[in-house]
Short mmCIF file of all heavy atoms in Angstrom, two decimals:
data_model
loop_
_atom_site.label_atom_id
_atom_site.label_comp_id
_atom_site.label_asym_id
_atom_site.label_seq_id
_atom_site.Cartn_x
_atom_site.Cartn_y
_atom_site.Cartn_z
N MET A 1 -5.92 -30.72 -82.97
CA MET A 1 -6.94 -31.39 -82.02
C MET A 1 -7.39 -32.80 -82.62
O MET A 1 -7.72 -32.87 -83.80
CB MET A 1 -8.20 -30.54 -81.84
CG MET A 1 -8.07 -29.68 -80.65
SD MET A 1 -9.56 -29.35 -79.89
CE MET A 1 -10.22 -28.05 -80.94
N ASP A 2 -7.22 -33.80 -81.82
CA ASP A 2 -7.64 -35.12 -82.30
C ASP A 2 -9.12 -35.07 -82.66
O ASP A 2 -9.50 -35.80 -83.58
CB ASP A 2 -7.37 -36.16 -81.21
CG ASP A 2 -5.84 -36.33 -80.99
OD1 ASP A 2 -5.14 -35.86 -81.88
OD2 ASP A 2 -5.51 -36.90 -79.96
N ASN A 3 -9.93 -34.41 -81.94
CA ASN A 3 -11.29 -34.48 -82.14
C ASN A 3 -11.78 -34.15 -83.48
O ASN A 3 -12.63 -34.68 -84.11
CB ASN A 3 -11.97 -33.51 -81.23
CG ASN A 3 -12.38 -34.21 -79.81
OD1 ASN A 3 -12.18 -35.41 -79.78
ND2 ASN A 3 -12.86 -33.46 -78.91
N LEU A 4 -11.18 -33.10 -84.05
CA LEU A 4 -11.53 -32.63 -85.41
C LEU A 4 -11.35 -33.74 -86.39
O LEU A 4 -12.17 -33.98 -87.26
CB LEU A 4 -10.76 -31.41 -85.80
CG LEU A 4 -11.23 -30.19 -85.11
CD1 LEU A 4 -10.31 -28.93 -85.60
CD2 LEU A 4 -12.65 -29.85 -85.47
N ASP A 5 -10.21 -34.38 -86.28
CA ASP A 5 -9.84 -35.52 -87.08
C ASP A 5 -10.92 -36.57 -87.01
O ASP A 5 -11.36 -37.14 -88.01
CB ASP A 5 -8.52 -36.14 -86.77
CG ASP A 5 -7.58 -36.01 -87.86
OD1 ASP A 5 -7.74 -35.05 -88.60
OD2 ASP A 5 -6.67 -36.82 -87.94
N TYR A 6 -11.25 -36.87 -85.84
CA TYR A 6 -12.26 -37.96 -85.53
C TYR A 6 -13.66 -37.54 -86.18
O TYR A 6 -14.17 -38.32 -86.85
CB TYR A 6 -12.43 -38.01 -84.00
CG TYR A 6 -13.32 -39.16 -83.64
CD1 TYR A 6 -12.84 -40.39 -83.61
CD2 TYR A 6 -14.71 -38.92 -83.38
CE1 TYR A 6 -13.74 -41.60 -83.27
CE2 TYR A 6 -15.56 -39.99 -82.93
CZ TYR A 6 -15.03 -41.27 -83.00
OH TYR A 6 -15.88 -42.29 -82.68
N TYR A 7 -13.97 -36.32 -86.06
CA TYR A 7 -15.28 -35.97 -86.59
C TYR A 7 -15.30 -35.97 -88.11
O TYR A 7 -16.33 -36.17 -88.73
CB TYR A 7 -15.69 -34.53 -86.11
CG TYR A 7 -16.14 -34.52 -84.69
CD1 TYR A 7 -16.00 -33.45 -83.92
CD2 TYR A 7 -16.67 -35.78 -84.05
CE1 TYR A 7 -16.37 -33.41 -82.53
CE2 TYR A 7 -17.11 -35.71 -82.74
CZ TYR A 7 -17.00 -34.59 -82.01
OH TYR A 7 -17.29 -34.61 -80.71
N SER A 8 -14.18 -35.69 -88.71
CA SER A 8 -14.14 -35.77 -90.14
C SER A 8 -14.24 -37.05 -90.75
O SER A 8 -14.68 -37.35 -91.88
CB SER A 8 -12.95 -34.98 -90.71
OG SER A 8 -11.80 -35.70 -90.40
N ASP A 9 -13.92 -38.10 -89.88
CA ASP A 9 -13.99 -39.50 -90.39
C ASP A 9 -15.19 -40.15 -89.80
O ASP A 9 -15.43 -41.31 -90.27
CB ASP A 9 -12.71 -40.30 -89.87
CG ASP A 9 -11.48 -40.05 -90.60
OD1 ASP A 9 -11.68 -39.33 -91.66
OD2 ASP A 9 -10.39 -40.56 -90.33
N HIS A 10 -15.89 -39.50 -89.03
CA HIS A 10 -17.08 -40.26 -88.44
C HIS A 10 -18.24 -39.35 -88.40
O HIS A 10 -18.08 -38.07 -88.27
CB HIS A 10 -16.73 -40.62 -86.95
CG HIS A 10 -15.62 -41.63 -86.78
ND1 HIS A 10 -14.38 -41.30 -86.93
CD2 HIS A 10 -15.67 -42.99 -86.57
CE1 HIS A 10 -13.65 -42.40 -86.77
NE2 HIS A 10 -14.42 -43.42 -86.58
N LYS A 11 -19.39 -39.91 -88.42
CA LYS A 11 -20.65 -39.10 -88.30
C LYS A 11 -21.57 -39.77 -87.19
O LYS A 11 -21.29 -40.95 -86.90
CB LYS A 11 -21.39 -39.07 -89.59
CG LYS A 11 -20.72 -38.19 -90.58
CD LYS A 11 -21.53 -37.86 -91.70
CE LYS A 11 -20.86 -36.92 -92.69
NZ LYS A 11 -21.77 -36.48 -93.86
N TYR A 12 -22.44 -39.04 -86.84
CA TYR A 12 -23.26 -39.56 -85.68
C TYR A 12 -24.43 -40.32 -86.22
O TYR A 12 -25.21 -39.94 -87.08
CB TYR A 12 -23.84 -38.28 -84.91
CG TYR A 12 -24.70 -38.74 -83.77
CD1 TYR A 12 -24.08 -39.20 -82.72
CD2 TYR A 12 -26.12 -38.62 -83.87
CE1 TYR A 12 -24.94 -39.70 -81.52
CE2 TYR A 12 -26.85 -39.07 -82.85
CZ TYR A 12 -26.27 -39.58 -81.61
OH TYR A 12 -27.06 -39.93 -80.58
N CYS A 13 -24.48 -41.51 -85.74
CA CYS A 13 -25.67 -42.44 -86.03
C CYS A 13 -26.65 -42.43 -84.93
O CYS A 13 -26.39 -42.90 -83.77
CB CYS A 13 -25.15 -43.88 -86.29
SG CYS A 13 -26.48 -45.08 -86.55
N PRO A 14 -27.82 -41.97 -85.13
CA PRO A 14 -28.89 -41.99 -84.06
C PRO A 14 -29.33 -43.24 -83.66
O PRO A 14 -29.75 -43.42 -82.55
CB PRO A 14 -29.96 -41.07 -84.69
CG PRO A 14 -29.83 -41.04 -86.17
CD PRO A 14 -28.34 -41.31 -86.38
N THR A 15 -29.18 -44.23 -84.54
CA THR A 15 -29.61 -45.59 -84.19
C THR A 15 -28.57 -46.32 -83.28
O THR A 15 -28.97 -46.92 -82.30
CB THR A 15 -29.74 -46.46 -85.47
OG1 THR A 15 -30.63 -45.70 -86.28
CG2 THR A 15 -30.21 -47.81 -85.16
N CYS A 16 -27.31 -46.08 -83.62
CA CYS A 16 -26.31 -46.73 -82.71
C CYS A 16 -25.91 -45.72 -81.58
O CYS A 16 -25.37 -46.17 -80.66
CB CYS A 16 -25.04 -46.88 -83.56
SG CYS A 16 -25.11 -48.02 -84.94
N ASP A 17 -26.51 -44.52 -81.63
CA ASP A 17 -26.29 -43.58 -80.69
C ASP A 17 -24.85 -43.25 -80.31
O ASP A 17 -24.39 -43.13 -79.25
CB ASP A 17 -26.98 -43.89 -79.37
CG ASP A 17 -27.09 -42.81 -78.34
OD1 ASP A 17 -27.09 -41.68 -78.79
OD2 ASP A 17 -27.15 -43.10 -77.20
N LYS A 18 -23.98 -43.25 -81.37
CA LYS A 18 -22.61 -42.85 -81.28
C LYS A 18 -22.07 -42.36 -82.59
O LYS A 18 -22.77 -42.56 -83.63
CB LYS A 18 -21.84 -44.04 -80.75
CG LYS A 18 -21.85 -45.17 -81.69
CD LYS A 18 -21.11 -46.45 -81.14
CE LYS A 18 -21.08 -47.52 -82.06
NZ LYS A 18 -20.43 -48.71 -81.52
N TYR A 19 -20.83 -41.96 -82.56
CA TYR A 19 -20.21 -41.61 -83.87
C TYR A 19 -19.60 -42.87 -84.49
O TYR A 19 -18.95 -43.64 -83.85
CB TYR A 19 -18.98 -40.59 -83.63
CG TYR A 19 -19.58 -39.22 -83.40
CD1 TYR A 19 -19.95 -38.78 -82.12
CD2 TYR A 19 -19.87 -38.28 -84.50
CE1 TYR A 19 -20.50 -37.40 -81.92
CE2 TYR A 19 -20.32 -37.03 -84.21
CZ TYR A 19 -20.65 -36.65 -83.03
OH TYR A 19 -21.13 -35.39 -82.90
N VAL A 20 -19.94 -43.05 -85.71
CA VAL A 20 -19.46 -44.25 -86.43
C VAL A 20 -18.87 -43.87 -87.70
O VAL A 20 -18.80 -42.74 -88.19
CB VAL A 20 -20.71 -45.09 -86.70
CG1 VAL A 20 -21.37 -45.46 -85.46
CG2 VAL A 20 -21.73 -44.34 -87.65
N SER A 21 -18.10 -44.86 -88.34
CA SER A 21 -17.59 -44.57 -89.68
C SER A 21 -18.63 -44.79 -90.59
O SER A 21 -19.75 -45.46 -90.24
CB SER A 21 -16.43 -45.53 -90.00
OG SER A 21 -16.80 -46.94 -89.72
N TYR A 22 -18.68 -44.17 -91.73
CA TYR A 22 -19.82 -44.18 -92.60
C TYR A 22 -19.55 -44.34 -94.02
O TYR A 22 -18.37 -44.24 -94.48
CB TYR A 22 -20.68 -42.87 -92.39
CG TYR A 22 -19.71 -41.55 -92.69
CD1 TYR A 22 -19.79 -41.03 -94.04
CD2 TYR A 22 -18.78 -41.00 -91.83
CE1 TYR A 22 -18.97 -39.99 -94.31
CE2 TYR A 22 -18.02 -39.99 -92.09
CZ TYR A 22 -18.11 -39.47 -93.44
OH TYR A 22 -17.36 -38.43 -93.68
N LEU A 23 -20.62 -44.66 -94.85
CA LEU A 23 -20.50 -44.72 -96.23
C LEU A 23 -21.14 -43.51 -96.78
O LEU A 23 -22.14 -43.13 -96.44
CB LEU A 23 -21.22 -45.99 -96.75
CG LEU A 23 -20.69 -47.34 -96.35
CD1 LEU A 23 -21.66 -48.40 -96.67
CD2 LEU A 23 -19.32 -47.57 -96.96
N MET A 24 -20.42 -42.81 -97.79
CA MET A 24 -21.10 -41.57 -98.23
C MET A 24 -21.62 -41.83 -99.66
O MET A 24 -21.03 -42.44 -100.53
CB MET A 24 -19.89 -40.55 -98.40
CG MET A 24 -20.44 -39.18 -98.47
SD MET A 24 -19.35 -37.96 -97.80
CE MET A 24 -17.82 -38.31 -98.70
N SER A 25 -22.79 -41.48 -99.83
CA SER A 25 -23.46 -41.37 -101.20
C SER A 25 -23.50 -39.90 -101.53
O SER A 25 -23.09 -38.98 -100.85
CB SER A 25 -24.74 -42.01 -101.28
OG SER A 25 -25.74 -41.24 -100.51
N ILE A 26 -24.14 -39.54 -102.64
CA ILE A 26 -24.11 -38.21 -103.13
C ILE A 26 -24.72 -37.21 -102.10
O ILE A 26 -24.22 -36.20 -101.79
CB ILE A 26 -24.88 -38.05 -104.47
CG1 ILE A 26 -24.07 -38.86 -105.49
CG2 ILE A 26 -24.97 -36.63 -104.89
CD1 ILE A 26 -24.76 -39.08 -106.81
N GLU A 27 -25.95 -37.61 -101.59
CA GLU A 27 -26.67 -36.72 -100.65
C GLU A 27 -26.65 -37.08 -99.18
O GLU A 27 -26.90 -36.39 -98.40
CB GLU A 27 -28.08 -36.56 -101.16
CG GLU A 27 -28.11 -35.83 -102.47
CD GLU A 27 -29.46 -35.21 -102.74
OE1 GLU A 27 -30.52 -35.77 -102.34
OE2 GLU A 27 -29.54 -34.17 -103.42
N GLN A 28 -26.41 -38.36 -99.02
CA GLN A 28 -26.55 -38.91 -97.65
C GLN A 28 -25.34 -39.81 -97.19
O GLN A 28 -24.61 -40.20 -98.07
CB GLN A 28 -27.90 -39.66 -97.48
CG GLN A 28 -29.10 -38.78 -97.55
CD GLN A 28 -30.32 -39.58 -98.04
OE1 GLN A 28 -30.19 -40.62 -98.78
NE2 GLN A 28 -31.35 -39.27 -97.50
N SER A 29 -25.33 -40.03 -95.99
CA SER A 29 -24.24 -40.83 -95.49
C SER A 29 -24.91 -41.96 -94.76
O SER A 29 -25.97 -41.67 -94.01
CB SER A 29 -23.23 -40.03 -94.66
OG SER A 29 -22.70 -39.08 -95.47
N PHE A 30 -24.31 -43.13 -94.65
CA PHE A 30 -24.91 -44.25 -93.92
C PHE A 30 -24.01 -44.88 -92.96
O PHE A 30 -22.80 -45.11 -93.35
CB PHE A 30 -25.48 -45.22 -95.04
CG PHE A 30 -26.52 -44.70 -95.87
CD1 PHE A 30 -26.14 -44.17 -97.11
CD2 PHE A 30 -27.87 -44.55 -95.43
CE1 PHE A 30 -27.18 -43.65 -98.01
CE2 PHE A 30 -28.84 -44.01 -96.37
CZ PHE A 30 -28.45 -43.51 -97.55
N CYS A 31 -24.49 -45.25 -91.95
CA CYS A 31 -23.81 -45.98 -90.86
C CYS A 31 -23.24 -47.32 -91.46
O CYS A 31 -24.01 -48.00 -92.05
CB CYS A 31 -24.67 -46.27 -89.72
SG CYS A 31 -23.93 -47.17 -88.33
N THR A 32 -21.95 -47.62 -91.23
CA THR A 32 -21.41 -48.91 -91.71
C THR A 32 -21.87 -50.02 -90.94
O THR A 32 -21.72 -51.20 -91.23
CB THR A 32 -19.80 -48.82 -91.77
OG1 THR A 32 -19.40 -48.53 -90.53
CG2 THR A 32 -19.43 -47.84 -92.83
N GLN A 33 -22.32 -49.64 -89.63
CA GLN A 33 -22.69 -50.75 -88.68
C GLN A 33 -24.19 -51.27 -88.75
O GLN A 33 -24.53 -52.37 -88.68
CB GLN A 33 -22.33 -50.24 -87.32
CG GLN A 33 -20.98 -49.82 -87.29
CD GLN A 33 -20.45 -49.85 -85.83
OE1 GLN A 33 -20.95 -50.42 -84.95
NE2 GLN A 33 -19.43 -48.94 -85.64
N CYS A 34 -25.11 -50.26 -89.03
CA CYS A 34 -26.53 -50.63 -88.95
C CYS A 34 -27.22 -50.12 -90.25
O CYS A 34 -28.31 -50.44 -90.53
CB CYS A 34 -27.27 -50.07 -87.71
SG CYS A 34 -27.49 -48.23 -87.89
N GLY A 35 -26.58 -49.32 -91.15
CA GLY A 35 -27.20 -48.91 -92.33
C GLY A 35 -28.12 -47.71 -92.24
O GLY A 35 -28.55 -47.27 -93.24
N SER A 36 -28.22 -47.22 -91.05
CA SER A 36 -29.07 -45.96 -90.93
C SER A 36 -28.38 -44.72 -91.54
O SER A 36 -27.21 -44.71 -91.63
CB SER A 36 -29.31 -45.75 -89.41
OG SER A 36 -30.16 -46.71 -88.95
N GLU A 37 -29.23 -43.82 -91.81
CA GLU A 37 -28.78 -42.52 -92.19
C GLU A 37 -27.91 -41.84 -90.99
O GLU A 37 -28.47 -41.88 -90.00
CB GLU A 37 -29.74 -41.64 -92.67
CG GLU A 37 -29.31 -40.48 -93.54
CD GLU A 37 -30.53 -39.74 -94.07
OE1 GLU A 37 -31.53 -40.30 -94.49
OE2 GLU A 37 -30.44 -38.43 -94.03
N VAL A 38 -26.75 -41.38 -91.28
CA VAL A 38 -26.05 -40.64 -90.32
C VAL A 38 -25.97 -39.20 -90.47
O VAL A 38 -26.27 -38.73 -91.60
CB VAL A 38 -24.64 -41.22 -90.10
CG1 VAL A 38 -24.59 -42.67 -89.67
CG2 VAL A 38 -23.82 -41.09 -91.43
N ARG A 39 -25.77 -38.38 -89.49
CA ARG A 39 -25.57 -37.03 -89.62
C ARG A 39 -24.25 -36.53 -89.10
O ARG A 39 -23.53 -37.30 -88.47
CB ARG A 39 -26.79 -36.33 -88.89
CG ARG A 39 -26.82 -36.72 -87.41
CD ARG A 39 -28.06 -36.34 -86.83
NE ARG A 39 -29.26 -37.04 -87.40
CZ ARG A 39 -30.53 -36.76 -87.04
NH1 ARG A 39 -30.84 -35.81 -86.13
NH2 ARG A 39 -31.51 -37.50 -87.52
N LEU A 40 -23.99 -35.27 -89.40
CA LEU A 40 -22.73 -34.76 -89.15
C LEU A 40 -22.38 -34.73 -87.64
O LEU A 40 -21.39 -35.03 -87.16
CB LEU A 40 -22.46 -33.37 -89.76
CG LEU A 40 -21.06 -32.82 -89.77
CD1 LEU A 40 -20.05 -33.84 -90.30
CD2 LEU A 40 -21.07 -31.57 -90.59
N PHE A 41 -23.43 -34.28 -86.90
CA PHE A 41 -23.25 -33.99 -85.49
C PHE A 41 -24.44 -34.74 -84.74
O PHE A 41 -25.52 -34.92 -85.28
CB PHE A 41 -23.32 -32.48 -85.13
CG PHE A 41 -22.33 -31.69 -85.75
CD1 PHE A 41 -22.55 -30.67 -86.60
CD2 PHE A 41 -21.02 -31.95 -85.43
CE1 PHE A 41 -21.58 -29.82 -87.09
CE2 PHE A 41 -19.98 -31.14 -85.96
CZ PHE A 41 -20.28 -30.17 -86.86
N SER A 42 -24.19 -35.07 -83.49
CA SER A 42 -25.22 -35.46 -82.60
C SER A 42 -26.07 -34.26 -82.35
O SER A 42 -25.65 -33.02 -82.68
CB SER A 42 -24.76 -36.02 -81.40
OG SER A 42 -24.23 -35.06 -80.64
N LYS A 43 -27.26 -34.38 -81.85
CA LYS A 43 -28.07 -33.33 -81.58
C LYS A 43 -27.54 -32.30 -80.73
O LYS A 43 -27.52 -31.08 -80.90
CB LYS A 43 -29.43 -33.81 -80.92
CG LYS A 43 -30.65 -32.97 -81.25
CD LYS A 43 -31.87 -33.68 -80.68
CE LYS A 43 -33.01 -32.68 -80.56
NZ LYS A 43 -34.18 -33.12 -79.83
N ASP A 44 -26.83 -32.79 -79.65
CA ASP A 44 -26.22 -31.75 -78.65
C ASP A 44 -25.05 -31.10 -79.34
O ASP A 44 -24.90 -29.87 -79.25
CB ASP A 44 -25.65 -32.67 -77.48
CG ASP A 44 -26.77 -33.06 -76.53
OD1 ASP A 44 -27.90 -32.55 -76.78
OD2 ASP A 44 -26.46 -33.83 -75.71
N ASP A 45 -24.26 -31.78 -80.10
CA ASP A 45 -23.12 -31.16 -80.77
C ASP A 45 -23.68 -30.09 -81.81
O ASP A 45 -23.10 -29.09 -82.01
CB ASP A 45 -22.29 -32.23 -81.41
CG ASP A 45 -21.44 -32.90 -80.41
OD1 ASP A 45 -21.52 -32.53 -79.26
OD2 ASP A 45 -20.91 -33.99 -80.84
N TRP A 46 -24.81 -30.47 -82.44
CA TRP A 46 -25.26 -29.64 -83.42
C TRP A 46 -25.77 -28.31 -82.76
O TRP A 46 -25.51 -27.22 -83.26
CB TRP A 46 -26.45 -30.23 -84.16
CG TRP A 46 -27.17 -29.40 -85.08
CD1 TRP A 46 -28.46 -28.99 -85.03
CD2 TRP A 46 -26.62 -28.86 -86.36
NE1 TRP A 46 -28.74 -28.21 -86.14
CE2 TRP A 46 -27.64 -28.15 -86.93
CE3 TRP A 46 -25.33 -28.96 -86.98
CZ2 TRP A 46 -27.43 -27.48 -88.16
CZ3 TRP A 46 -25.19 -28.12 -88.14
CH2 TRP A 46 -26.25 -27.55 -88.69
N GLN A 47 -26.45 -28.41 -81.67
CA GLN A 47 -26.77 -27.26 -80.86
C GLN A 47 -25.66 -26.43 -80.53
O GLN A 47 -25.70 -25.15 -80.59
CB GLN A 47 -27.54 -27.69 -79.67
CG GLN A 47 -28.38 -26.52 -79.11
CD GLN A 47 -29.34 -27.07 -78.01
OE1 GLN A 47 -29.46 -28.27 -77.77
NE2 GLN A 47 -30.10 -26.21 -77.38
N GLU A 48 -24.60 -27.05 -79.92
CA GLU A 48 -23.41 -26.33 -79.64
C GLU A 48 -22.82 -25.63 -80.81
O GLU A 48 -22.37 -24.49 -80.75
CB GLU A 48 -22.30 -27.36 -79.06
CG GLU A 48 -21.70 -26.98 -77.75
CD GLU A 48 -20.90 -28.06 -77.18
OE1 GLU A 48 -19.77 -28.22 -77.60
OE2 GLU A 48 -21.51 -28.89 -76.43
N PHE A 49 -22.79 -26.29 -81.91
CA PHE A 49 -22.19 -25.72 -83.13
C PHE A 49 -22.95 -24.42 -83.59
O PHE A 49 -22.41 -23.47 -83.87
CB PHE A 49 -22.32 -26.73 -84.25
CG PHE A 49 -21.87 -26.31 -85.65
CD1 PHE A 49 -20.56 -26.12 -85.96
CD2 PHE A 49 -22.83 -26.04 -86.60
CE1 PHE A 49 -20.17 -25.65 -87.15
CE2 PHE A 49 -22.50 -25.48 -87.77
CZ PHE A 49 -21.08 -25.35 -88.06
N ASN A 50 -24.30 -24.61 -83.47
CA ASN A 50 -25.15 -23.44 -83.86
C ASN A 50 -24.93 -22.29 -82.99
O ASN A 50 -24.90 -21.22 -83.36
CB ASN A 50 -26.59 -23.86 -83.85
CG ASN A 50 -27.00 -24.44 -85.09
OD1 ASN A 50 -26.48 -24.01 -86.26
ND2 ASN A 50 -27.89 -25.43 -85.20
N GLU A 51 -24.80 -22.61 -81.58
CA GLU A 51 -24.59 -21.52 -80.63
C GLU A 51 -23.32 -20.86 -80.90
O GLU A 51 -23.15 -19.60 -80.75
CB GLU A 51 -24.67 -22.08 -79.30
CG GLU A 51 -26.14 -22.21 -78.83
CD GLU A 51 -26.31 -23.03 -77.44
OE1 GLU A 51 -25.28 -23.36 -76.97
OE2 GLU A 51 -27.39 -23.43 -77.21
N SER A 52 -22.22 -21.61 -81.18
CA SER A 52 -20.90 -20.95 -81.40
C SER A 52 -21.02 -20.17 -82.71
O SER A 52 -20.30 -19.10 -82.81
CB SER A 52 -19.88 -22.02 -81.48
OG SER A 52 -19.94 -22.90 -82.62
N MET A 53 -21.76 -20.57 -83.65
CA MET A 53 -21.94 -19.82 -84.89
C MET A 53 -22.61 -18.47 -84.59
O MET A 53 -22.25 -17.39 -85.04
CB MET A 53 -22.60 -20.58 -86.01
CG MET A 53 -21.84 -21.71 -86.51
SD MET A 53 -20.26 -21.23 -87.28
CE MET A 53 -20.83 -20.74 -88.91
N ALA A 54 -23.67 -18.51 -83.84
CA ALA A 54 -24.48 -17.40 -83.55
C ALA A 54 -23.67 -16.40 -82.67
O ALA A 54 -23.81 -15.22 -82.81
CB ALA A 54 -25.66 -17.84 -82.79
N ALA A 55 -22.78 -16.91 -81.85
CA ALA A 55 -21.95 -16.10 -81.10
C ALA A 55 -20.99 -15.30 -81.86
O ALA A 55 -20.57 -14.17 -81.44
CB ALA A 55 -21.14 -16.86 -79.98
N LYS A 56 -20.60 -15.81 -82.96
CA LYS A 56 -19.58 -15.05 -83.81
C LYS A 56 -20.30 -14.02 -84.61
O LYS A 56 -19.60 -13.08 -85.09
CB LYS A 56 -18.96 -16.14 -84.81
CG LYS A 56 -17.80 -16.87 -84.12
CD LYS A 56 -17.16 -17.80 -85.06
CE LYS A 56 -16.32 -18.91 -84.42
NZ LYS A 56 -15.98 -19.98 -85.28
N ARG A 57 -21.62 -14.22 -84.82
CA ARG A 57 -22.32 -13.33 -85.78
C ARG A 57 -22.41 -11.88 -84.95
O ARG A 57 -22.77 -11.89 -83.83
CB ARG A 57 -23.62 -13.79 -86.02
CG ARG A 57 -24.18 -13.25 -87.28
CD ARG A 57 -25.57 -13.89 -87.55
NE ARG A 57 -25.42 -15.37 -87.69
CZ ARG A 57 -26.51 -16.27 -87.39
NH1 ARG A 57 -27.60 -15.68 -87.07
NH2 ARG A 57 -26.24 -17.54 -87.48
N PRO A 58 -22.13 -10.81 -85.66
CA PRO A 58 -22.32 -9.53 -85.08
C PRO A 58 -23.84 -9.23 -84.79
O PRO A 58 -24.64 -9.69 -85.54
CB PRO A 58 -21.83 -8.45 -86.11
CG PRO A 58 -21.74 -9.25 -87.37
CD PRO A 58 -21.52 -10.72 -86.99
N LYS A 59 -24.08 -8.60 -83.60
CA LYS A 59 -25.54 -8.44 -83.25
C LYS A 59 -26.19 -7.18 -83.60
O LYS A 59 -26.91 -6.57 -82.74
CB LYS A 59 -25.71 -8.83 -81.76
CG LYS A 59 -25.69 -10.35 -81.60
CD LYS A 59 -26.14 -10.68 -80.20
CE LYS A 59 -26.17 -12.29 -79.93
NZ LYS A 59 -26.26 -12.50 -78.70
N GLY A 60 -25.75 -6.51 -84.63
CA GLY A 60 -26.45 -5.26 -85.01
C GLY A 60 -26.33 -4.12 -84.01
O GLY A 60 -27.18 -3.84 -83.37
N GLY A 61 -25.09 -3.62 -83.97
CA GLY A 61 -24.92 -2.43 -83.13
C GLY A 61 -24.61 -2.72 -81.62
O GLY A 61 -24.83 -3.81 -81.20
N ARG A 62 -24.13 -1.70 -80.99
CA ARG A 62 -23.85 -1.80 -79.59
C ARG A 62 -25.14 -1.67 -78.72
O ARG A 62 -26.07 -0.96 -79.13
CB ARG A 62 -22.79 -0.83 -79.21
CG ARG A 62 -23.11 0.62 -79.68
CD ARG A 62 -21.81 1.42 -79.77
NE ARG A 62 -21.59 1.94 -81.14
CZ ARG A 62 -21.86 3.24 -81.40
NH1 ARG A 62 -22.37 3.98 -80.47
NH2 ARG A 62 -21.70 3.77 -82.53
N PRO A 63 -25.08 -2.16 -77.52
CA PRO A 63 -26.22 -2.06 -76.69
C PRO A 63 -26.39 -0.64 -76.24
O PRO A 63 -25.46 0.13 -75.94
CB PRO A 63 -25.88 -2.97 -75.51
CG PRO A 63 -24.24 -3.05 -75.55
CD PRO A 63 -23.93 -2.93 -76.94
N ARG A 64 -27.60 -0.10 -76.20
CA ARG A 64 -28.01 1.16 -75.92
C ARG A 64 -28.55 1.35 -74.48
O ARG A 64 -29.28 0.48 -74.07
CB ARG A 64 -29.02 1.76 -76.91
CG ARG A 64 -28.37 2.55 -78.00
CD ARG A 64 -29.57 3.31 -78.67
NE ARG A 64 -30.17 2.41 -79.61
CZ ARG A 64 -31.41 2.72 -80.24
NH1 ARG A 64 -31.95 3.83 -79.90
NH2 ARG A 64 -31.85 1.89 -81.10
N LYS A 65 -28.07 2.42 -73.80
CA LYS A 65 -28.71 2.62 -72.46
C LYS A 65 -30.03 3.36 -72.81
O LYS A 65 -30.10 4.10 -73.66
CB LYS A 65 -27.76 3.43 -71.64
CG LYS A 65 -27.02 2.56 -70.62
CD LYS A 65 -26.33 3.55 -69.67
CE LYS A 65 -26.08 2.72 -68.30
NZ LYS A 65 -25.42 3.70 -67.28
N SER A 66 -30.80 3.28 -71.93
CA SER A 66 -32.14 4.11 -71.88
C SER A 66 -31.85 5.56 -71.91
O SER A 66 -30.98 6.02 -71.15
CB SER A 66 -33.00 3.67 -70.77
OG SER A 66 -34.13 4.67 -70.71
N GLU A 67 -32.35 6.35 -72.79
CA GLU A 67 -32.05 7.79 -72.83
C GLU A 67 -33.07 8.55 -71.90
O GLU A 67 -33.00 9.78 -71.91
CB GLU A 67 -32.27 8.23 -74.30
CG GLU A 67 -31.00 7.74 -75.17
CD GLU A 67 -31.41 7.99 -76.62
OE1 GLU A 67 -32.26 8.72 -76.91
OE2 GLU A 67 -30.70 7.45 -77.50
N ARG A 68 -33.99 7.88 -71.39
CA ARG A 68 -34.95 8.56 -70.48
C ARG A 68 -34.67 8.45 -68.98
O ARG A 68 -35.52 8.59 -68.21
CB ARG A 68 -36.32 8.02 -70.83
CG ARG A 68 -36.73 8.12 -72.29
CD ARG A 68 -38.15 7.89 -72.56
NE ARG A 68 -38.62 6.72 -71.68
CZ ARG A 68 -39.75 6.06 -71.99
NH1 ARG A 68 -40.48 6.41 -73.05
NH2 ARG A 68 -40.10 5.15 -71.19
N ASP A 69 -33.41 8.33 -68.74
CA ASP A 69 -32.98 8.03 -67.25
C ASP A 69 -33.34 9.29 -66.46
O ASP A 69 -33.77 9.18 -65.44
CB ASP A 69 -31.49 7.74 -67.23
CG ASP A 69 -31.23 6.24 -67.18
OD1 ASP A 69 -32.21 5.61 -67.13
OD2 ASP A 69 -30.12 5.90 -67.20
N SER A 70 -33.06 10.38 -66.99
CA SER A 70 -33.07 11.66 -66.24
C SER A 70 -34.48 12.36 -66.23
O SER A 70 -34.65 13.39 -65.60
CB SER A 70 -32.09 12.66 -66.69
OG SER A 70 -32.22 12.84 -68.08
N ALA A 71 -35.39 11.77 -66.87
CA ALA A 71 -36.82 12.33 -66.95
C ALA A 71 -37.43 12.11 -65.49
O ALA A 71 -37.70 13.04 -64.82
CB ALA A 71 -37.52 11.60 -68.02
ZN1 LIG B 101 -25.66 -47.17 -86.92
#
């Protein structure tokens, strides 16, 4: 996928409001265009990422039906 390549070379700059190429320091990365701190994902993409991670996580057992149906 082209997208993965793109994301590995770019990070999201909230100031520019787009994915940009960036300068990496030890703890942070900075937009090459405006100098703001950039993040790995945009807010929306981050949410999507978290949701996809949560979906993969096992959810503690199978769903149970109520046992008091016949009472
Ligand atoms: Zn920027």
Side-chain angles (χ1 to χ4, degrees):
M1 272 210 275
D2 292 344
N3 268 355
L4 284 179
D5 242 28
Y6 184 81
Y7 286 152
S8 69
D9 279 356
H10 295 76
K11 287 191 178 184
Y12 181 76
C13 174
T15 305
C16 298
D17 193 27
K18 63 181 181 182
Y19 284 89
V20 297
S21 52
Y22 60 93
L23 297 169
M24 197 153 57
S25 71
I26 295 172
E27 293 199 327
Q28 290 158 325
S29 303
F30 299 96
C31 175
T32 55
Q33 307 196 21
C34 74
S36 291
E37 200 179 317
V38 293
R39 52 194 69 184
L40 188 53
F41 297 120
S42 73
K43 210 174 164 192
D44 284 350
D45 286 351
W46 177 243
Q47 198 169 357
E48 228 171 85
F49 175 75
N50 275 327
E51 278 168 9
S52 70
M53 291 301 279
K56 278 181 198 166
R57 206 177 303 157
K59 275 192 181 170
R62 46 202 127 100
R64 259 193 279 166
K65 257 193 162 184
S66 167
E67 288 167 15
R68 302 191 323 194
D69 263 357
S70 53

